[in-house]
């Protein structure tokens, strides 16, 4: 079946602009995660959704970052007033129900470059 | 708090020789541990996972890992490297606090020499 998809695959924006990154999880997966991977680093957790609600947003770096999942499937990560330090690959993952033993399935990522 | 440490940032092996990628973990609970592989411009792919069943875990593409509680290690091995194994490898622990978010190591870049 279809895996996790993310759009756009690449996004170039100017400092101060607003961007939206979209994630389409595997159908039926209730758990959805966003991670950020900076160059040469491992991915770092941003936010976790269980269904429509953000169950854990402790990884969001500041209030410029926000994410939604209004219907419990597609999620959008929104970044306001982008800064050069926001440049990274943003990864989305989904799992069946969100448990310790479950595998998270990752999308290909959105590469964000802030000029 | 949970964490993983990947002891080598780069590993080079010759094609056909064994691969060893090292990972140590820290966890106050019985951990769930994973190895993922990331090929250039590709998504993260699960190689294998440990979830407290067998301590020796077999994964895809001939990889395996052994959970050693006494050494707090979960090293990844493969008997014979193939050129297609060249990639970035991440050791991961799942946070059991309720969200089960992944905590990644810093990665090991594997280079396979012809």
């Amino acid at each position: 079946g279809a895996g996790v998809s993310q759009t756009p695959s690449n996004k170039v924006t100017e400092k101060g602009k607003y961007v939206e990154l979209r994630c389409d999880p595997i159908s039926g997966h209730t758990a959805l995660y966003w991670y950020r991977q900076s160059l040469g680093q491992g991915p770092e957790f941003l936010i976790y959704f269980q269904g429509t609600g953000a169950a854990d947003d402790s990884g969001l770096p500041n209030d410029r970052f926000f994410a939604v999942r209004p219907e419990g499937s597609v999620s959008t990560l929104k970044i306001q007033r982008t800064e050069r330090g926001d440049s990274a690959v943003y990864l989305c993952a989904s799992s069946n129900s969100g448990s310790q033993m479950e595998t998270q399935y990752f999308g290909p990522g959105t590469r964000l470059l802030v000029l | 708090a949970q964490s993983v440490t990947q002891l080598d940032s780069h590993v080079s092996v010759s094609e056909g020789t064994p691969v060893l990628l090292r990972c140590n973990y820290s966890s106050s609970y019985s951990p769930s541990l994973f190895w993922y592989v990331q090929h250039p411009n590709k998504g993260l792919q699960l190689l294998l996972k440990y979830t407290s069943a067998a301590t020796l875990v077999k994964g895809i593409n001939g990889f395996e890992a052994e959970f050693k509680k006494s050494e707090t290690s979960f090293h990844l091995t493969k008997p014979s490297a193939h050129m297609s194994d060249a990639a970035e490898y991440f050791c991961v622990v799942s946070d059991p606090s309720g969200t089960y978010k992944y905590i990644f190591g810093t990665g090991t870049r594997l280079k396979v020499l012809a």
Side-chain angles (χ1 to χ4, degrees), chain A residues 33 35 37 40-43 45 48 56 58 91 98-104 106-108 111, chain B residues 30-32 34 36 38 41 43-44 46 49 51-52 90 94 96 99-102 104-106:
Chain A
Y33 301 80
Y35 295 86
Q37 186 175 19
Q41 302 294 318
F45 169 76
Y48 162 63
D56 182 357
S58 62
L91 298 168
S99 72
Q100 186 179 7
M101 299 182 188
E102 279 190 357
T103 299
Q104 293 181 25
F106 285 82
R111 189 175 301 272
Chain B
S30 179
S32 287
F34 307 77
Y36 278 79
Q38 188 175 40
N41 300 315
L44 288 157
L46 178 71
K49 67 179 180 181
T51 56
S52 76
F90 291 98
S94 173
T99 65
Y100 307 114
K101 62 193 177 195
Y102 278 0
F104 285 78
T106 50

Side-chain angles (χ1 to χ4, degrees), chain A residues 30-113:
Chain A
T30 61
L32 186 146
Y33 301 80
W34 283 97
Y35 295 86
R36 179 168 72 172
Q37 186 175 19
S38 300
L39 197 62
Q41 302 294 318
E44 293 181 320
F45 169 76
L46 294 176
I47 188 169
Y48 162 63
F49 287 90
Q50 181 56 252
T52 60
D56 182 357
D57 64 359
S58 62
L60 295 178
N62 52 59
D63 61 6
R64 295 186 297 106
F65 289 74
F66 189 71
V68 296
R69 195 185 185 200
E71 297 178 357
S73 55
V74 171
S75 177
T76 304
L77 178 66
K78 307 180 182 196
I79 310 175
Q80 298 178 318
R81 304 183 305 280
T82 52
E83 299 178 357
R84 292 195 180 87
D86 298 335
S87 296
V89 176
Y90 290 81
L91 298 168
C92 176
S94 70
S95 69
N96 189 31
S97 61
S99 72
Q100 186 179 7
M101 299 182 188
E102 279 190 357
T103 299
Q104 293 181 25
Y105 297 89
F106 285 82
T110 293
R111 189 175 301 272
L112 176 66
L113 177 61

Side-chain angles (χ1 to χ4, degrees), chain B residues 48-94:
Chain B
L48 49 81
K49 67 179 180 181
Y50 166 76
T51 56
S52 76
T55 56
L56 182 62
V57 183
K58 294 189 184 296
I60 62 171
N61 300 336
F63 284 94
E64 63 181 39
E66 186 171 7
F67 174 75
K68 292 187 176 180
K69 186 175 181 179
S70 61
E71 299 176 9
T72 61
S73 69
F74 190 58
H75 301 334
L76 182 70
T77 61
K78 182 173 180 178
S80 177
H82 192 273
M83 295 298 289
S84 61
D85 295 329
E88 187 90 21
Y89 291 80
F90 291 98
C91 183
V92 180
V93 65
S94 173

Side-chain angles (χ1 to χ4, degrees), chain B residues 26-48:
Chain B
S26 173
S27 177
S28 43
Y29 301 88
S30 179
S32 287
L33 294 159
F34 307 77
W35 276 99
Y36 278 79
V37 61
Q38 188 175 40
H39 291 275
N41 300 315
K42 296 283 181 68
L44 288 157
Q45 181 184 19
L46 178 71
L47 281 176
L48 49 81

